[in-house]
Amino acid sequence: MSESRIRNAALRSKIMSADQAAALILDGAHVGMSGFTGAGYPKAVPAALAARMNAKHAAGEHFKIGVWTGASTAPELDGALAKADGIELRMPYQSDPNCRKRINAGELDYIDIHLSHVAQYVWFGFFGKLDVAVVEVAGIREDGRLIPSSSVGNNKTWLDQADKIILEVNRWQNPALEGMHDIYYGTDLPPHRRPIPLITAHDRIGQPYFFCDPDKVIAVIETDAPDRNTAFSPPDLVSRAIAGNILDFLEHEVKKGRLPPELLPLQSGVGNVANAVMDGLQHGPFEGLSSFTEVLQDGMLNLIKSGKMEFASATALSLSPEAAEEFNRDVALYRKKVILRPQEISNHPELIRRLGVIAMNGLIEADIYGNVNSTHIRGTSIMNGIGGSGDFARNAYLSIFMTPSTAKNGAISCIVPMVTHVDHTEHDVQVIVTEQGLADLRGLPPRRRAQEIIARCAHPDYRPALEDYFARALRESPGRHTPHLMNEAFSFLDAWKAAETRINSARAAE
Amino acid sequence: MSESRIRNAALRSKIMSADQAAALILDGAHVGMSGFTGAGYPKAVPAALAARMNAKHAAGEHFKIGVWTGASTAPELDGALAKADGIELRMPYQSDPNCRKRINAGELDYIDIHLSHVAQYVWFGFFGKLDVAVVEVAGIREDGRLIPSSSVGNNKTWLDQADKIILEVNRWQNPALEGMHDIYYGTDLPPHRRPIPLITAHDRIGQPYFFCDPDKVIAVIETDAPDRNTAFSPPDLVSRAIAGNILDFLEHEVKKGRLPPELLPLQSGVGNVANAVMDGLQHGPFEGLSSFTEVLQDGMLNLIKSGKMEFASATALSLSPEAAEEFNRDVALYRKKVILRPQEISNHPELIRRLGVIAMNGLIEADIYGNVNSTHIRGTSIMNGIGGSGDFARNAYLSIFMTPSTAKNGAISCIVPMVTHVDHTEHDVQVIVTEQGLADLRGLPPRRRAQEIIARCAHPDYRPALEDYFARALRESPGRHTPHLMNEAFSFLDAWKAAETRINSARAAE
């Protein structure tokens, strides 16, 4: 492998074991790791680092680091380091259960940031110095430039900003990834910034490689391990109904002349509902689709395969094992149809607005006035994070949020009087869709929005309670622009308590 | 006046009275009016229209219109039409007391939109057809192009999108305004958008005039009336203290190398605190300042006059009577130092992020985790609207929110456990400053933010209650990422009730 994947002699001389490399990371370091939605994260160093942390902690020594990434990684990274209690501060997005548990126990500091903001804030110096970059690549060229792997994320920034660099060269990554990436080196700091010269989703504005100062590289590790590649469940009835409602809406917009027949570039959040929408598009009337999104998932890969989608721009692949196999098998096709970019480009407000992206993101709860909570359970516990949803929703041509109308087997309504945490304000939410129907909020003042959301999106089991709240708020609210009964705005939280009690009793009875 | 200000013969033939013009606006029409923060709004037609509405209503007929503007106008427009109960729907920002009263009584629909979104949503067709544009201009050229007046706002869009156009040519507006504007005609609809070629605040990318299809013009009215030109109070002690805290912070950032000595382009919201900051800059150490903002107010004019500010880009002048006189007296200087642009350009996310604007905006209340309410009193009544604060805060290099720590003579704390309405989320607020101090939230997770905001921004009278809330939330909150006691998150609303009771008793005793 050294021969074929690590073609630069100077860097080849720095090959060592993950344990040796992990020993070069010191207590208190800020570490920029590669990785975006389970793709392209380092596979070996984090585990070695976790082992070292455990050893240090057992010896009574302090050992914690700051972990900065692209987005979510995998159990081998976030999970291992969180279990070892080795993370002081985590940013910007994560989805690991062990990490989440520590965050919500107040044991681990977590900063939730728009994904388009992360790189520039580091460049601005707002988070302090980045000490070490730990970045997975698919290979190292003779000239020392790096071939990115299955995600780009913030790697360009980590490599440029870190004092020291640890590279993991992963033989599992398809060598044909070479040439698929577009790394833009034209960003600068104000007041020296220029327009980003991208005008379609398939424009190439950079180069396929990362620059890397070889003098900063302190270790090169060889790995051969797959990305997380979580399996996808096929769309269930609820997801299909949501997707159907979105497709009907898009067709309606085309008929009205507000969208071209090939639509506009699609952005799609992660998860099963998003995948169901892609699946729906597979059987829908639209041809010549494109995407400008964060993550390429199975559904989008299928659209490319079938010819429905002509082009996809993303910052990461996030494929099931089957789709990853499919991708590797037919990589010659996909390299022509897919570009992976840094997340500061994939999520850039300038580009999202210019391209007129159709943004489709999930939510935890929406309220009757169209405010959306994407991050917090009951207002206090983080689920994952805002990710790029804000970048896309704010700047999109169409900003769609989608969710099943209920959660916890119907015990919780996802439409509530007032959300317990706001990630997307009433100013940024144009369409809310559930399996019950779709509320088109464009051009509607708050009271009209409430009527639409309750009538079209709420589950029938919760509609009477929401109607009752709204009717009483209309009569009793001190102000009637956004009528609320502030002392019962969070009354739907009682359902959470009831659901918990039931779950706990059931557990006790087992 | 016809001779000098209306130089196009075809349009001169359409001169008529405001009453005649108002009679051309029909019940149910969507009307796009000029006007931004009390500048450049039509002075004659709205009053004539209000009289017509009153007459129709007295005759038992229905007569209401949709009023779309740039931002706030004046009593002669919003006030007159609201008093006549002639507004069906108002957007996007307003500050008229009569209008506000009707909105909060639930009698008038109001849509509160990011100012950078308005023009494009109209182009997208999201608000339906624009029937009539009523636009004040400073003059009409021989070739039919229009000389903008003291604000640009959405006028380009209204003139392009409306079926019919009514022009008010206001002799009061300084003829030397000609040449000061920069109207960019390069915006397009996706997928045809290109980069906006502006790279400094003083770049000219358009032309100084509006195009106008003369066949669409149904009336030209001659007026001679001043803009609203509200007087400014000199900065009080609290405003000065806030300004002082901001200046200290900016000096600190320059020392740390995170800002250049001439800072970056400033954006400043309207009002006395904003003006105090400008006043503070007048006596501060910074030279070679520039602004990329919505509104040019007295304080900024003084900075230009003194030579501290080299250039200002805005969409409107909003000057006191004295400053307006000063502006007119020395217009030869100011024309070289000021550009007025359409608000889709002055507030464009692409440009705000590219230029690295320092955004400074007011707020109604902020919570301990850094969420900001800019629009709602007690969560239900609108104050004015979000204006451009979201455009700037989200995309700024530095996003500063400023407020006195208390309102209503100390009866209300502006720092609360949880805001009753969210306009700017925790993801978009970097700095909160009151007369008490400044909380720098960059890089801080929620619990650390709470400590900073309570310790540095809250008024000492309210600090113990906030500390107590936070301490108990830390212990009792179900999740500790963002600790809250949801059943008392709005408990500070009780202070509103108490304040109201006191005010009412005092009134009763009079």
Side-chain angles (χ1 to χ4, degrees), chain A residues 158-170:
Chain A
W158 299 166
L159 293 166
D160 283 353
Q161 286 278 304
D163 286 336
K164 299 171 181 174
I165 295 168
I166 297 173
L167 298 174
E168 289 199 4
V169 185
N170 185 355

Side-chain angles (χ1 to χ4, degrees), chain A residues 392-424:
Chain A
F392 285 97
R394 169 72 64 87
N395 298 292
Y397 182 91
L398 270 177
S399 161
I400 300 171
F401 283 90
M402 53 204 186
T403 179
S405 66
T406 62
K408 305 271 171 204
N409 287 322
I412 307 290
S413 175
C414 296
I415 307 295
V416 298
M418 179 182 267
V419 289
T420 56
H421 183 89
V422 178
D423 294 289
H424 308 288

Side-chain angles (χ1 to χ4, degrees), chain A residues 120-121, chain B residues 352 356-359 391-399 430:
Chain A
Q120 69 169 3
Y121 285 177
Chain B
I352 294 163
V357 169
I358 298 174
D391 297 321
F392 285 97
R394 170 72 65 89
N395 298 293
Y397 181 91
L398 271 178
S399 161
Q430 294 179 324

